[in-house]
Amino acid sequence: MERYEVTINRIAQGEIPIEEGIEWFKALPEEEQHKALRGMNLCIHQSHPREPEIEEGIKLSGLKETYTPCVIMRKNTFNSARAKVLALPSHEWLKAFRLWLAIFTIADSRRRSTDCQAGCDHWWHNLEML
């Protein structure tokens, strides 16, 4: 597990306030931001967001619906959208991070309350064990 994924999960689960998480991402050097986005890509993939959760995430992110990452997530299949967002230029990465964090927070919360309600062995749902 990468430290980025641990931090991202701590943000999504409310252990780190979202605005503090955004500041953490912004403070990373550019190369590290891209590594964090790749970690976020893994997290969001594992949360299996549903189409309504993507829409809700766009609203929750506070981004304009016309921003490139939002349009990409809406107009493409989930796997294709993830690849396209990762390929965006660095000036789009903060928007992508905000969007994916919102979507991940929603989808992972659903999974923790349904699929993993009775307990699970996902390390990211058991952060207190780290």
Side-chain angles (χ1 to χ4, degrees):
M1 103 197 68
E2 291 286 332
R3 65 183 168 103
Y4 305 109
E5 290 144 17
V6 172
T7 300
I8 289 163
N9 276 278
R10 290 193 190 284
I11 298 165
Q13 293 177 32
E15 290 183 23
I16 298 172
I18 288 176
E19 286 309 313
E20 190 177 311
I22 301 290
E23 291 303 316
W24 164 79
F25 182 81
K26 286 169 45 177
L28 293 173
E30 192 172 282
E31 180 180 315
E32 297 294 310
Q33 284 185 354
H34 203 246
K35 286 181 183 179
L37 273 180
R38 288 194 306 269
M40 176 66 86
N41 179 49
L42 178 61
C43 292
I44 198 171
H45 173 68
Q46 291 174 335
S47 70
H48 307 287
R50 298 172 177 165
E51 193 170 320
E53 292 168 335
I54 292 171
E55 288 300 318
E56 187 180 347
I58 291 170
K59 290 177 180 72
L60 180 67
S61 72
L63 299 173
K64 291 181 181 181
E65 294 181 8
T66 56
Y67 283 169
T68 304
C70 298
V71 172
I72 289 172
M73 292 302 294
R74 244 192 201 140
K75 301 287 183 189
N76 295 275
T77 64
F78 179 62
N79 287 334
S80 176
R82 289 180 21 246
K84 288 179 180 193
V85 168
L86 277 178
L88 288 171
S90 61
H91 69 272
E92 296 284 350
W93 292 350
L94 179 58
K95 294 176 207 163
F97 182 79
R98 290 182 76 102
L99 175 60
W100 279 4
L101 182 60
I103 295 169
F104 174 60
T105 298
I106 294 163
D108 192 57
S109 177
R110 172 191 39 83
R111 290 208 56 211
R112 281 184 281 115
S113 68
T114 57
D115 301 354
C116 301
Q117 181 180 11
C120 66
D121 60 358
H122 299 128
W123 67 260
W124 56 90
H125 290 163
N126 299 289
L127 296 173
E128 67 279 351
M129 305 297 265
L130 300 178

